[in-house]
PDB file of all heavy atoms in Angstrom:
ATOM      1  N   PHE A 149      -6.824  38.222   9.315  1.00  0.00           N
ATOM      2  CA  PHE A 149      -7.724  38.501  10.442  1.00  0.00           C
ATOM      3  C   PHE A 149      -7.794  37.304  11.392  1.00  0.00           C
ATOM      4  O   PHE A 149      -7.738  37.463  12.621  1.00  0.00           O
ATOM      5  CB  PHE A 149      -9.120  38.849   9.915  1.00  0.00           C
ATOM      6  CG  PHE A 149     -10.190  38.785  10.955  1.00  0.00           C
ATOM      7  CD1 PHE A 149     -10.212  39.679  12.013  1.00  0.00           C
ATOM      8  CD2 PHE A 149     -11.186  37.807  10.886  1.00  0.00           C
ATOM      9  CE1 PHE A 149     -11.215  39.618  12.988  1.00  0.00           C
ATOM     10  CE2 PHE A 149     -12.181  37.745  11.849  1.00  0.00           C
ATOM     11  CZ  PHE A 149     -12.191  38.650  12.900  1.00  0.00           C
ATOM     12  N   ALA A 150      -7.898  36.101  10.838  1.00  0.00           N
ATOM     13  CA  ALA A 150      -7.967  34.902  11.681  1.00  0.00           C
ATOM     14  C   ALA A 150      -6.684  34.728  12.479  1.00  0.00           C
ATOM     15  O   ALA A 150      -6.721  34.376  13.670  1.00  0.00           O
ATOM     16  CB  ALA A 150      -8.227  33.673  10.811  1.00  0.00           C
ATOM     17  N   THR A 153      -6.579  37.238  15.337  1.00  0.00           N
ATOM     18  CA  THR A 153      -7.491  36.819  16.397  1.00  0.00           C
ATOM     19  C   THR A 153      -6.880  35.699  17.226  1.00  0.00           C
ATOM     20  O   THR A 153      -6.944  35.709  18.464  1.00  0.00           O
ATOM     21  CB  THR A 153      -8.819  36.348  15.777  1.00  0.00           C
ATOM     22  OG1 THR A 153      -9.401  37.425  15.055  1.00  0.00           O
ATOM     23  CG2 THR A 153      -9.777  35.882  16.853  1.00  0.00           C
ATOM     24  N   LEU A 179     -10.171  45.050   5.254  1.00  0.00           N
ATOM     25  CA  LEU A 179     -11.245  44.060   5.405  1.00  0.00           C
ATOM     26  C   LEU A 179     -12.459  44.684   6.090  1.00  0.00           C
ATOM     27  O   LEU A 179     -13.609  44.452   5.690  1.00  0.00           O
ATOM     28  CB  LEU A 179     -10.733  42.857   6.206  1.00  0.00           C
ATOM     29  CG  LEU A 179     -11.740  41.744   6.492  1.00  0.00           C
ATOM     30  CD1 LEU A 179     -12.254  41.116   5.197  1.00  0.00           C
ATOM     31  CD2 LEU A 179     -11.115  40.666   7.377  1.00  0.00           C
ATOM     32  N   GLU A 180     -12.203  45.480   7.123  1.00  0.00           N
ATOM     33  CA  GLU A 180     -13.311  46.125   7.835  1.00  0.00           C
ATOM     34  C   GLU A 180     -14.064  47.092   6.915  1.00  0.00           C
ATOM     35  O   GLU A 180     -15.299  47.189   6.979  1.00  0.00           O
ATOM     36  CB  GLU A 180     -12.772  46.851   9.064  1.00  0.00           C
ATOM     37  CG  GLU A 180     -12.309  45.899  10.165  1.00  0.00           C
ATOM     38  CD  GLU A 180     -11.724  46.620  11.359  1.00  0.00           C
ATOM     39  OE1 GLU A 180     -11.095  47.682  11.156  1.00  0.00           O
ATOM     40  OE2 GLU A 180     -11.904  46.132  12.490  1.00  0.00           O
ATOM     41  N   LEU A 183     -16.306  45.039   4.623  1.00  0.00           N
ATOM     42  CA  LEU A 183     -17.445  44.449   5.330  1.00  0.00           C
ATOM     43  C   LEU A 183     -18.393  45.520   5.879  1.00  0.00           C
ATOM     44  O   LEU A 183     -19.581  45.246   6.125  1.00  0.00           O
ATOM     45  CB  LEU A 183     -16.955  43.569   6.482  1.00  0.00           C
ATOM     46  CG  LEU A 183     -16.190  42.300   6.076  1.00  0.00           C
ATOM     47  CD1 LEU A 183     -15.587  41.633   7.307  1.00  0.00           C
ATOM     48  CD2 LEU A 183     -17.118  41.323   5.355  1.00  0.00           C
ATOM     49  N   VAL A 185     -18.106  46.903   8.850  1.00  0.00           N
ATOM     50  CA  VAL A 185     -18.238  46.732  10.299  1.00  0.00           C
ATOM     51  C   VAL A 185     -16.860  46.742  10.928  1.00  0.00           C
ATOM     52  O   VAL A 185     -15.846  46.486  10.265  1.00  0.00           O
ATOM     53  CB  VAL A 185     -18.945  45.409  10.678  1.00  0.00           C
ATOM     54  CG1 VAL A 185     -20.360  45.375  10.147  1.00  0.00           C
ATOM     55  CG2 VAL A 185     -18.157  44.209  10.167  1.00  0.00           C
ATOM     56  N   ARG A 186     -16.811  47.059  12.209  1.00  0.00           N
ATOM     57  CA  ARG A 186     -15.549  46.969  12.943  1.00  0.00           C
ATOM     58  C   ARG A 186     -15.435  45.563  13.518  1.00  0.00           C
ATOM     59  O   ARG A 186     -16.353  45.069  14.174  1.00  0.00           O
ATOM     60  CB  ARG A 186     -15.478  48.011  14.063  1.00  0.00           C
ATOM     61  CG  ARG A 186     -14.178  47.953  14.866  1.00  0.00           C
ATOM     62  CD  ARG A 186     -14.062  49.137  15.794  1.00  0.00           C
ATOM     63  NE  ARG A 186     -13.895  50.392  15.068  1.00  0.00           N
ATOM     64  CZ  ARG A 186     -12.717  50.814  14.572  1.00  0.00           C
ATOM     65  NH1 ARG A 186     -11.618  50.082  14.732  1.00  0.00           N
ATOM     66  NH2 ARG A 186     -12.651  51.964  13.940  1.00  0.00           N
ATOM     67  N   LEU A 187     -14.310  44.922  13.259  1.00  0.00           N
ATOM     68  CA  LEU A 187     -14.088  43.556  13.727  1.00  0.00           C
ATOM     69  C   LEU A 187     -13.306  43.509  15.037  1.00  0.00           C
ATOM     70  O   LEU A 187     -13.513  42.591  15.845  1.00  0.00           O
ATOM     71  CB  LEU A 187     -13.328  42.759  12.655  1.00  0.00           C
ATOM     72  CG  LEU A 187     -14.009  42.629  11.288  1.00  0.00           C
ATOM     73  CD1 LEU A 187     -13.067  41.937  10.308  1.00  0.00           C
ATOM     74  CD2 LEU A 187     -15.311  41.844  11.406  1.00  0.00           C
ATOM     75  N   LEU A 188     -12.410  44.475  15.222  1.00  0.00           N
ATOM     76  CA  LEU A 188     -11.520  44.465  16.383  1.00  0.00           C
ATOM     77  C   LEU A 188     -11.559  45.810  17.092  1.00  0.00           C
ATOM     78  O   LEU A 188     -11.584  46.874  16.449  1.00  0.00           O
ATOM     79  CB  LEU A 188     -10.077  44.168  15.952  1.00  0.00           C
ATOM     80  CG  LEU A 188      -9.820  42.804  15.307  1.00  0.00           C
ATOM     81  CD1 LEU A 188      -8.453  42.788  14.638  1.00  0.00           C
ATOM     82  CD2 LEU A 188      -9.909  41.707  16.351  1.00  0.00           C
ATOM     83  N   GLN A 189     -11.547  45.755  18.417  1.00  0.00           N
ATOM     84  CA  GLN A 189     -11.395  46.953  19.242  1.00  0.00           C
ATOM     85  C   GLN A 189      -9.939  47.030  19.678  1.00  0.00           C
ATOM     86  O   GLN A 189      -9.433  46.137  20.355  1.00  0.00           O
ATOM     87  CB  GLN A 189     -12.316  46.895  20.474  1.00  0.00           C
ATOM     88  CG  GLN A 189     -13.792  46.978  20.176  1.00  0.00           C
ATOM     89  CD  GLN A 189     -14.232  48.382  19.754  1.00  0.00           C
ATOM     90  OE1 GLN A 189     -13.421  49.311  19.673  1.00  0.00           O
ATOM     91  NE2 GLN A 189     -15.522  48.523  19.481  1.00  0.00           N
ATOM     92  N   ASN A 196      -9.375  43.237  21.224  1.00  0.00           N
ATOM     93  CA  ASN A 196     -10.548  42.408  21.494  1.00  0.00           C
ATOM     94  C   ASN A 196     -11.465  42.363  20.286  1.00  0.00           C
ATOM     95  O   ASN A 196     -11.575  43.338  19.516  1.00  0.00           O
ATOM     96  CB  ASN A 196     -11.329  42.964  22.694  1.00  0.00           C
ATOM     97  CG  ASN A 196     -10.504  42.962  23.963  1.00  0.00           C
ATOM     98  OD1 ASN A 196     -10.071  41.917  24.422  1.00  0.00           O
ATOM     99  ND2 ASN A 196     -10.295  44.147  24.515  1.00  0.00           N
ATOM    100  N   LEU A 197     -12.123  41.214  20.133  1.00  0.00           N
ATOM    101  CA  LEU A 197     -13.099  41.072  19.068  1.00  0.00           C
ATOM    102  C   LEU A 197     -14.387  41.805  19.433  1.00  0.00           C
ATOM    103  O   LEU A 197     -14.836  41.769  20.584  1.00  0.00           O
ATOM    104  CB  LEU A 197     -13.430  39.594  18.843  1.00  0.00           C
ATOM    105  CG  LEU A 197     -12.377  38.717  18.157  1.00  0.00           C
ATOM    106  CD1 LEU A 197     -12.791  37.255  18.278  1.00  0.00           C
ATOM    107  CD2 LEU A 197     -12.209  39.100  16.706  1.00  0.00           C
ATOM    108  N   THR A 198     -14.973  42.465  18.447  1.00  0.00           N
ATOM    109  CA  THR A 198     -16.324  42.977  18.626  1.00  0.00           C
ATOM    110  C   THR A 198     -17.297  41.810  18.469  1.00  0.00           C
ATOM    111  O   THR A 198     -16.896  40.692  18.101  1.00  0.00           O
ATOM    112  CB  THR A 198     -16.642  44.046  17.573  1.00  0.00           C
ATOM    113  OG1 THR A 198     -16.636  43.423  16.284  1.00  0.00           O
ATOM    114  CG2 THR A 198     -15.626  45.175  17.607  1.00  0.00           C
ATOM    115  N   ALA A 199     -18.576  42.060  18.738  1.00  0.00           N
ATOM    116  CA  ALA A 199     -19.571  41.004  18.550  1.00  0.00           C
ATOM    117  C   ALA A 199     -19.598  40.556  17.090  1.00  0.00           C
ATOM    118  O   ALA A 199     -19.676  39.357  16.791  1.00  0.00           O
ATOM    119  CB  ALA A 199     -20.957  41.496  18.993  1.00  0.00           C
ATOM    120  N   SER A 200     -19.502  41.526  16.183  1.00  0.00           N
ATOM    121  CA  SER A 200     -19.480  41.193  14.750  1.00  0.00           C
ATOM    122  C   SER A 200     -18.199  40.437  14.409  1.00  0.00           C
ATOM    123  O   SER A 200     -18.208  39.500  13.609  1.00  0.00           O
ATOM    124  CB  SER A 200     -19.579  42.469  13.903  1.00  0.00           C
ATOM    125  OG  SER A 200     -20.812  43.120  14.109  1.00  0.00           O
ATOM    126  N   GLY A 201     -17.102  40.867  15.043  1.00  0.00           N
ATOM    127  CA  GLY A 201     -15.830  40.200  14.778  1.00  0.00           C
ATOM    128  C   GLY A 201     -15.827  38.758  15.236  1.00  0.00           C
ATOM    129  O   GLY A 201     -15.292  37.870  14.555  1.00  0.00           O
ATOM    130  N   ARG A 202     -16.423  38.526  16.400  1.00  0.00           N
ATOM    131  CA  ARG A 202     -16.476  37.148  16.904  1.00  0.00           C
ATOM    132  C   ARG A 202     -17.305  36.264  15.979  1.00  0.00           C
ATOM    133  O   ARG A 202     -16.903  35.147  15.665  1.00  0.00           O
ATOM    134  CB  ARG A 202     -17.052  37.135  18.322  1.00  0.00           C
ATOM    135  CG  ARG A 202     -17.036  35.756  18.976  1.00  0.00           C
ATOM    136  CD  ARG A 202     -17.423  35.845  20.443  1.00  0.00           C
ATOM    137  NE  ARG A 202     -16.554  36.765  21.163  1.00  0.00           N
ATOM    138  CZ  ARG A 202     -15.327  36.446  21.579  1.00  0.00           C
ATOM    139  NH1 ARG A 202     -14.842  35.223  21.333  1.00  0.00           N
ATOM    140  NH2 ARG A 202     -14.602  37.325  22.230  1.00  0.00           N
ATOM    141  N   LEU A 203     -18.460  36.760  15.545  1.00  0.00           N
ATOM    142  CA  LEU A 203     -19.307  35.997  14.624  1.00  0.00           C
ATOM    143  C   LEU A 203     -18.574  35.735  13.310  1.00  0.00           C
ATOM    144  O   LEU A 203     -18.601  34.616  12.786  1.00  0.00           O
ATOM    145  CB  LEU A 203     -20.604  36.760  14.367  1.00  0.00           C
ATOM    146  CG  LEU A 203     -21.554  36.147  13.321  1.00  0.00           C
ATOM    147  CD1 LEU A 203     -22.047  34.778  13.787  1.00  0.00           C
ATOM    148  CD2 LEU A 203     -22.737  37.081  13.069  1.00  0.00           C
ATOM    149  N   TYR A 204     -17.886  36.759  12.812  1.00  0.00           N
ATOM    150  CA  TYR A 204     -17.196  36.613  11.527  1.00  0.00           C
ATOM    151  C   TYR A 204     -16.043  35.618  11.644  1.00  0.00           C
ATOM    152  O   TYR A 204     -15.808  34.810  10.738  1.00  0.00           O
ATOM    153  CB  TYR A 204     -16.676  37.972  11.059  1.00  0.00           C
ATOM    154  CG  TYR A 204     -16.210  37.973   9.626  1.00  0.00           C
ATOM    155  CD1 TYR A 204     -17.122  37.807   8.581  1.00  0.00           C
ATOM    156  CD2 TYR A 204     -14.875  38.131   9.310  1.00  0.00           C
ATOM    157  CE1 TYR A 204     -16.696  37.806   7.254  1.00  0.00           C
ATOM    158  CE2 TYR A 204     -14.437  38.142   8.000  1.00  0.00           C
ATOM    159  CZ  TYR A 204     -15.349  37.971   6.971  1.00  0.00           C
ATOM    160  OH  TYR A 204     -14.915  37.965   5.660  1.00  0.00           O
ATOM    161  N   TYR A 205     -15.328  35.673  12.777  1.00  0.00           N
ATOM    162  CA  TYR A 205     -14.217  34.725  12.971  1.00  0.00           C
ATOM    163  C   TYR A 205     -14.725  33.292  13.029  1.00  0.00           C
ATOM    164  O   TYR A 205     -14.142  32.386  12.412  1.00  0.00           O
ATOM    165  CB  TYR A 205     -13.444  35.056  14.240  1.00  0.00           C
ATOM    166  CG  TYR A 205     -12.424  33.990  14.581  1.00  0.00           C
ATOM    167  CD1 TYR A 205     -11.239  33.874  13.852  1.00  0.00           C
ATOM    168  CD2 TYR A 205     -12.664  33.075  15.602  1.00  0.00           C
ATOM    169  CE1 TYR A 205     -10.311  32.879  14.139  1.00  0.00           C
ATOM    170  CE2 TYR A 205     -11.741  32.078  15.899  1.00  0.00           C
ATOM    171  CZ  TYR A 205     -10.573  31.977  15.160  1.00  0.00           C
ATOM    172  OH  TYR A 205      -9.669  30.989  15.427  1.00  0.00           O
ATOM    173  N   GLU A 206     -15.793  33.058  13.787  1.00  0.00           N
ATOM    174  CA  GLU A 206     -16.313  31.690  13.921  1.00  0.00           C
ATOM    175  C   GLU A 206     -16.718  31.115  12.577  1.00  0.00           C
ATOM    176  O   GLU A 206     -16.453  29.952  12.280  1.00  0.00           O
ATOM    177  CB  GLU A 206     -17.509  31.686  14.878  1.00  0.00           C
ATOM    178  CG  GLU A 206     -17.122  31.961  16.331  1.00  0.00           C
ATOM    179  CD  GLU A 206     -18.321  32.109  17.237  1.00  0.00           C
ATOM    180  OE1 GLU A 206     -19.464  32.125  16.702  1.00  0.00           O
ATOM    181  OE2 GLU A 206     -18.137  32.213  18.467  1.00  0.00           O
ATOM    182  N   GLU A 207     -17.358  31.924  11.738  1.00  0.00           N
ATOM    183  CA  GLU A 207     -17.810  31.427  10.439  1.00  0.00           C
ATOM    184  C   GLU A 207     -16.645  31.320   9.450  1.00  0.00           C
ATOM    185  O   GLU A 207     -16.507  30.316   8.745  1.00  0.00           O
ATOM    186  CB  GLU A 207     -18.891  32.354   9.873  1.00  0.00           C
ATOM    187  CG  GLU A 207     -20.156  32.413  10.698  1.00  0.00           C
ATOM    188  CD  GLU A 207     -20.913  31.093  10.702  1.00  0.00           C
ATOM    189  OE1 GLU A 207     -20.769  30.310   9.739  1.00  0.00           O
ATOM    190  OE2 GLU A 207     -21.653  30.837  11.676  1.00  0.00           O
ATOM    191  N   SER A 208     -15.807  32.337   9.385  1.00  0.00           N
ATOM    192  CA  SER A 208     -14.734  32.351   8.377  1.00  0.00           C
ATOM    193  C   SER A 208     -13.634  31.357   8.701  1.00  0.00           C
ATOM    194  O   SER A 208     -13.019  30.785   7.783  1.00  0.00           O
ATOM    195  CB  SER A 208     -14.145  33.763   8.262  1.00  0.00           C
ATOM    196  OG  SER A 208     -13.537  34.168   9.485  1.00  0.00           O
ATOM    197  N   SER A 209     -13.368  31.111  10.000  1.00  0.00           N
ATOM    198  CA  SER A 209     -12.294  30.173  10.349  1.00  0.00           C
ATOM    199  C   SER A 209     -12.648  28.751   9.915  1.00  0.00           C
ATOM    200  O   SER A 209     -11.766  27.975   9.524  1.00  0.00           O
ATOM    201  CB  SER A 209     -12.012  30.218  11.853  1.00  0.00           C
ATOM    202  OG  SER A 209     -13.159  29.833  12.598  1.00  0.00           O
TER     203      SER A 209
END
Side-chain angles (χ1 to χ4, degrees):
F149 164 67
T153 300
L179 178 62
E180 289 178 326
L183 293 172
V185 298
R186 180 171 293 279
L187 300 174
L188 297 166
Q189 292 287 0
N196 298 299
L197 287 169
T198 65
S200 296
R202 185 172 304 281
L203 175 63
Y204 192 68
Y205 172 74
E206 291 173 353
E207 296 293 334
S208 63
S209 61

